[in-house]
């Protein structure tokens, strides 16, 4: 079978020459709604499904038109992303299902001056197991790492991405005791016209990483932006080791081990030798710990909960990694930490089938270092977080119940939006204000208003007071005012009571001093 991939004005053309007439072509990956939403074919009598193409009569070939993905999806690789005039492809989405005896070749038919960047095997052949960039050679800087930069990417952002990737890779190689076997590739893109100030990143086999930044704000730098980028890239870089060199055998059902490992390692990349009161480390721990307390229900433990979507695998994964980190530091007199544990996990996996699991990792944690981690992994009930806090205090951590600003803000706003919106609702956090995500779905709150105060209180600086005022107004069945620069831009009634604010554990000391 031969697959010929060619760029078009709107995306890609993938022409499939089959080994013989067939009424069905199964794809290797089930790409969900990616195919049915953006892919088309002119093959007669063809029906396109999520994971297959069927024909009314046998065909020996067909052609697919592949358009860029319309949105980012949770834990699913985009199929096609524009990189300037070129394209970033997740190759497995294009390939046939693995069938014994069925071989295939992929030919990239490119314009003059274009090149192909991707993971290559020991024979320098494209592995087609992850990201593949096709586009102008002018976008590529070749060295120890192949770097592809889209033209719209600000210079400061590109520099920070590369510095963060290189510095964190050097730290991980030193601490984990093993070098990468593949030449890394980094594809950097900025989409200034996209709404939001977010970023997305994905790592595929062969140390290939895509980093994508959305919104105009990335055009200028700020201290918070630089820390975000360093943490973000350090997370993705750690996956070169815990997701490529070796990988989790349970990444589908328990991604919190794989993702939490990368997120906590990224916090250590911000501060490789953290003091117990390290600002960067405490900020990361607190942000994730509060989120984990939200998503991990009272009757669930890490081992029984479904934590596959949204922030859940990252947040609870970080909480577990911190528990092991503090336990290891304390029990060893600061001679071991969580990166030492990952060194052992990776070494054991490399001696076996290149996979690790929750069980294999827990086995490498000494019992006296694993008490707090065991609470998260196995304990359920109303006293679970009390037991966790007590175990962490045994490792020298200091933590106490308090309110979370982020959770107070989200709970109050979503409570009011929920009474007026039909469909998607939410908000985007800016430096000094919020942008509501309401469109035409939220009645009096329509129009994606920019706000800096709710019920007379600043949404960034006076959040808990805002929550308390919203709670009082809702209890009385009153009206909530949304303001910008002291002018009311929207008003909405609130007739449903807002529950008392949730208390979360706040950490002021991560572990004992040694």
């Amino acid at each position: 079978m031969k697959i010929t991939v060619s760029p078009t004005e709107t995306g890609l053309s993938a022409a499939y020459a089959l080994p013989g007439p067939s009424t069905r072509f199964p794809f290797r990956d089930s790409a969900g709604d990616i195919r049915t939403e953006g892919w088309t074919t002119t093959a007669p009598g063809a029906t396109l499904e999520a994971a297959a193409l069927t024909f009314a009569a046998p065909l020996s070939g067909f052609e697919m038109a592949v358009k860029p993905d319309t949105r980012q999806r949770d834990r699913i690789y985009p199929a096609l992303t524009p990189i300037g005039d070129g394209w970033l492809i997740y190759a497995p989405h294009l390939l046939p299902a693995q069938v014994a005896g069925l071989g295939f070749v992929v030919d990239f038919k490119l314009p003059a001056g274009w090149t192909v960047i991707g993971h290559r095997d020991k024979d320098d052949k494209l592995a087609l197991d992850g990201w593949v960039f096709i586009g102008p050679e002018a976008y590529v800087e070749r060295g120890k790492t192949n770097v592809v930069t889209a033209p719209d990417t600000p210079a400061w952002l590109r520099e920070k991405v590369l510095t963060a990737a290189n510095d964190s890779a050097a730290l991980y190689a030193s601490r984990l005791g093993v070098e990468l076997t593949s030449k890394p590739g980094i594809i950097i893109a900025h989409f200034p016209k996209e709404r939001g100030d977010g970023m997305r990143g994905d790592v595929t086999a062969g140390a290939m990483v895509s980093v994508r930044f959305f919104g105009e704000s990335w055009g200028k730098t700020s201290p918070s932006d630089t820390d975000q980028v360093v943490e973000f890239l350090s997370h993705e870089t750690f996956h070169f080791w815990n997701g490529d060199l070796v990988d989790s055998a349970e990444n589908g059902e328990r991604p919190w081990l794989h993702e939490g490992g990368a997120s906590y390692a990224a916090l250590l990349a911000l501060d490789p030798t953290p003091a117990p009161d390290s600002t960067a480390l405490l900020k990361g721990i607190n942000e994730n710990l509060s989120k984990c307390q939200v998503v991990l229900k009272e009757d669930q433990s890490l081992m029984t909960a479904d934590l596959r979507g949204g922030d859940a695998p990252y947040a609870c994964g970080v909480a577990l990694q911190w528990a092991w980190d503090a336990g290891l530091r304390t029990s060893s007199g600061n001679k071991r930490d969580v990166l030492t544990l990952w060194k052992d996990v990776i070494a054991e996996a490399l001696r076996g089938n290149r996979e690790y699991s929750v069980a294999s990792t827990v086995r490498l944690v000494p019992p006296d270092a694993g008490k707090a981690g065991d609470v998260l992994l196995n304990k359920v009930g109303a006293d679970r977080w009390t037991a966790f806090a007590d175990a962490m205090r045994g490792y020298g951590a200091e933590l106490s119940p308090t309110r979370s600003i982020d959770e107070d803000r989200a709970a109050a706003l979503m409570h009011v939006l929920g009474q007026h919106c039909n469909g998607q609702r939410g908000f985007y956090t800016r430096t000094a204000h919020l942008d509501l995500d309401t469109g035409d779905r939220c009645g009096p709150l329509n129009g994606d208003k920019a706000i800096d105060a709710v019920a007379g209180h600043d949404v960034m600086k006076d959040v808990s007071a805002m929550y308390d005022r919203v709670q009082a107004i809702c209890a009385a069945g009153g009206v909530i005012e949304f303001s910008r620069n002291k002018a009311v831009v929207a008003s909405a009634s609130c007739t449903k009571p807002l529950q008392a604010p949730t208390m979360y554990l706040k950490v002021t000391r991560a572990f004992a001093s040694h």
Side-chain angles (χ1 to χ4, degrees):
M1 176 189 303
K2 183 176 182 179
I3 307 169
T4 303
V5 178
S6 309
T8 68
E9 291 185 1
T10 58
L12 292 180
S13 168
Y16 294 76
L18 306 180
S22 177
T23 58
R24 187 174 187 271
F25 180 87
F27 290 99
R28 177 166 303 186
D29 280 0
S30 177
D33 59 356
I34 292 177
R35 291 194 182 93
T36 55
E37 184 177 280
W39 297 24
T40 57
T41 182
T42 57
T47 300
L48 182 61
E49 303 166 354
L53 189 65
T54 57
F55 313 113
L59 294 179
S60 296
F62 63 93
E63 187 172 343
M64 297 295 307
V66 180
K67 293 182 179 179
D69 289 32
T70 58
R71 58 189 172 89
Q72 303 290 306
R73 293 164 171 85
D74 191 25
R75 291 181 61 77
I76 297 176
Y77 291 111
L80 188 63
T81 303
I83 305 294
D85 292 331
W87 300 99
L88 179 65
I89 311 160
Y90 182 65
H93 287 337
L94 296 174
L95 302 182
Q98 294 174 308
V99 178
L102 177 63
F104 64 89
V105 294
V106 177
D107 178 38
F108 291 94
K109 189 176 180 181
L110 304 179
W114 279 38
T115 190
V116 180
I117 300 291
H119 173 211
R120 294 184 177 272
D121 62 20
K122 59 182 177 59
D123 299 319
D124 200 39
K125 180 181 177 183
L126 276 174
L128 298 170
D129 51 4
W131 294 128
V132 174
F133 165 76
I134 61 170
E137 175 68 36
Y139 296 176
V140 183
E141 178 183 339
R142 299 177 187 271
K144 291 184 178 179
T145 298
N146 288 325
V147 181
V148 178
T149 309
D152 284 334
T153 306
W156 82 266
L157 191 54
R158 178 186 182 280
E159 179 182 353
K160 184 55 65 176
V161 165
L162 297 184
T163 300
N166 289 331
D167 289 353
S168 59
L171 170 68
Y172 300 149
S174 171
R175 292 298 316 278
L176 301 176
V178 59
E179 296 285 347
L180 298 176
T181 56
S182 300
K183 183 177 184 178
I186 301 177
I187 300 94
I188 311 166
H190 176 222
F191 302 93
K193 295 181 181 179
E194 294 284 341
R195 189 175 179 203
D197 296 324
M199 59 181 107
R200 292 290 292 261
D202 312 274
V203 171
T204 63
M208 294 293 298
V209 58
S210 163
V211 287
R212 307 177 295 282
F213 299 88
F214 305 95
E216 294 181 351
S217 67
W218 293 106
K220 55 185 183 298
T221 180
S222 71
S224 62
D225 290 336
T226 58
D227 283 351
Q228 268 188 294
V229 174
V230 171
E231 187 177 344
F232 180 62
L233 264 295
S234 300
H235 173 108
E236 299 302 334
T237 302
F238 194 76
H239 283 323
F240 292 173
W241 278 268
N242 87 333
D244 185 25
L245 194 66
V246 299
D247 199 7
S248 170
E250 302 165 289
N251 202 23
E253 62 272 25
R254 291 172 179 155
W256 39 263
L257 179 59
H258 167 87
E259 297 294 359
S263 289
Y264 195 82
L267 296 177
L268 296 181
L270 286 172
D271 189 354
T273 56
D277 59 353
S278 164
T279 300
L281 184 60
L282 288 178
K283 180 176 182 290
I285 290 172
N286 279 310
E287 287 176 351
N288 286 283
L289 184 59
S290 62
K291 291 177 182 177
C292 185
Q293 290 173 86
V294 172
V295 298
L296 191 59
K297 304 307 179 185
E298 189 175 298
D299 61 347
Q300 300 171 336
S301 69
L302 281 185
M303 293 301 288
T304 62
D306 182 356
L307 301 177
R308 292 178 293 178
D311 290 332
Y314 305 89
C316 290
V318 166
L320 178 63
Q321 297 290 317
W322 170 50
W324 282 338
D325 192 37
L328 288 163
R329 289 173 189 269
T330 299
S331 64
S332 69
N334 213 34
K335 294 178 182 178
R336 290 175 57 82
D337 61 14
V338 79
L339 290 182
T340 313
L341 172 63
W342 275 106
K343 179 179 180 179
D344 294 343
V345 169
I346 291 169
E348 182 177 86
L350 287 173
R351 290 193 297 268
N353 62 355
R354 307 181 79 86
E355 289 186 334
Y356 58 90
S357 65
V358 175
S360 71
T361 304
V362 168
R363 190 176 64 250
L364 295 170
V365 180
D368 57 346
K371 295 176 182 178
D374 288 345
V375 172
L376 290 180
L377 287 166
N378 301 306
K379 186 172 179 57
V380 299
D383 64 340
R384 186 248 314 286
W385 290 111
T386 300
F388 175 75
D390 289 343
M392 291 303 298
R393 292 187 186 103
Y395 298 139
E398 294 179 2
L399 60 173
S400 58
T402 189
R403 291 169 69 169
S404 164
I405 289 176
D406 289 341
E407 293 302 326
D408 273 4
R409 182 189 296 115
L413 286 171
M414 296 305 287
H415 178 74
V416 180
L417 290 174
Q419 295 175 61
H420 296 277
C421 296
N422 180 19
Q424 180 177 318
R425 83 292 303 263
F427 59 90
Y428 296 96
T429 303
R430 310 306 187 196
T431 303
H433 75 280
L434 306 176
D435 286 337
L436 296 180
D437 180 12
T438 54
D440 60 357
R441 305 174 298 275
C442 298
L445 298 174
N446 281 352
D448 297 337
K449 306 287 188 182
I451 61 170
D452 57 18
V454 173
H457 292 276
D458 191 300
V459 295
M460 306 304 291
K461 301 177 181 178
D462 201 18
V463 177
S464 291
M466 177 201 78
Y467 186 104
D468 294 343
R469 183 59 184 149
V470 169
Q471 185 185 34
I473 293 172
C474 293
V479 173
I480 309 294
E481 293 184 339
F482 295 74
S483 306
R484 180 75 193 275
N485 297 326
K486 298 184 178 180
V488 175
V489 297
S491 299
S493 62
C494 182
T495 58
K496 295 181 179 180
L498 174 61
Q499 67 181 18
T502 303
M503 302 298 287
Y504 298 93
L505 293 171
K506 182 177 181 180
V507 185
T508 54
R509 186 180 184 84
F511 37 72
S513 298
H514 297 285

